[in-house]
Amino acid sequence: MNGDLIEQFVDEGTLQAMASLLDAADEAAVNEAGVKISASFDGGSGSFGQIALGNGEEKLVSSFHNNLVLLIEKTWVEKSDVALKAQVLYRLEEFTKFMGGRVYSEAYSYFFNIVDDVVYLMFGAQTKSKSFDEYAMRIDPDFGLFWWYVESLPRDAAWEDRKKRLVILLGMYYLANF
């Protein structure tokens, strides 16, 4: 996303937290960055901090699963995308199993596939355009912030499971409350 555009919607502290999240290896620094980013997602309620520490992860996974099933099932799509809806629902079930089994390395790639496909189902082919991130930010700054977060993450990160866990949970945290 264009740096000038994101700076119109995201404060400097959140930008620094994202840089820290991407670069930090220390679990405490990763958690601190995640909590700072979550404040942009929820207006600063602070509830993600407890999830990052392990309190409420199961509830978050359940809320994420239930909300996404509802969103996927209720999203109207072209006939050509009906099979994609079924595929996303299947991936969501697999993802939920990985999260429940604490297999974060497997869940990480599933998370991106699910998010990409759900956003495609919602917005169509426009998601494949180079200007989608700007479009997302302008139509709904909160969603645009989430999309910036997702697009900033490396798809093939060689991170430890604890970091992948936090990154996934942070994305789920936004979507569970979307």
Side-chain angles (χ1 to χ4, degrees):
M1 182 175 292
N2 177 323
D4 293 335
L5 177 63
I6 194 65
E7 289 174 3
Q8 293 175 28
F9 295 93
V10 178
D11 64 76
E12 183 63 31
T14 301
L15 292 172
Q16 290 174 353
M18 188 66 190
S20 179
L21 179 71
L22 294 172
D23 295 336
D26 175 65
E27 186 175 348
V30 169
N31 286 348
E32 182 179 329
V35 169
K36 175 65 178 167
I37 294 167
S38 76
S40 295
F41 289 167
D42 69 6
S45 77
S47 61
F48 184 75
Q50 289 300 309
I51 294 167
L53 295 174
N55 303 322
E57 181 174 334
E58 294 81 16
K59 185 176 190 271
L60 177 61
V61 171
S62 176
S63 293
F64 173 79
H65 175 270
N66 294 340
N67 287 356
L68 246 56
V69 166
L70 183 64
L71 179 66
I72 294 163
E73 288 179 348
K74 298 298 179 187
T75 299
W76 183 88
V77 297
E78 299 287 339
K79 267 190 172 182
S80 60
D81 291 329
V82 170
L84 179 59
K85 278 177 78 167
Q87 184 178 20
V88 175
L89 288 168
Y90 172 78
R91 281 193 200 133
L92 181 59
E93 295 305 319
E94 293 299 302
F95 172 80
T96 302
K97 290 176 191 173
F98 289 135
M99 291 301 291
R102 311 286 197 260
V103 187
Y104 303 113
S105 57
E106 294 294 329
Y108 190 77
S109 62
Y110 270 77
F111 176 74
F112 287 110
N113 290 329
I114 291 166
V115 169
D116 288 344
D117 288 345
V118 168
V119 170
Y120 175 82
L121 290 172
M122 291 172 55
F123 294 98
Q126 185 167 358
T127 60
K128 307 297 183 194
S129 75
K130 291 182 181 184
S131 63
F132 179 71
D133 50 357
E134 182 176 339
Y135 171 79
M137 188 63 79
R138 295 208 185 275
I139 63 162
D140 183 347
D142 290 336
F143 177 76
L145 174 62
F146 167 74
W147 191 246
W148 165 76
Y149 169 75
V150 169
E151 289 294 296
S152 297
L153 298 171
R155 299 294 173 113
D156 58 351
W159 294 332
E160 292 184 20
D161 270 5
R162 299 296 299 165
K163 186 169 183 174
K164 285 182 178 181
R165 172 191 169 270
L166 184 105
V167 166
I168 294 167
L169 291 174
L170 187 53
M172 290 173 61
Y173 182 71
Y174 174 83
L175 288 174
N177 298 302
F178 179 61

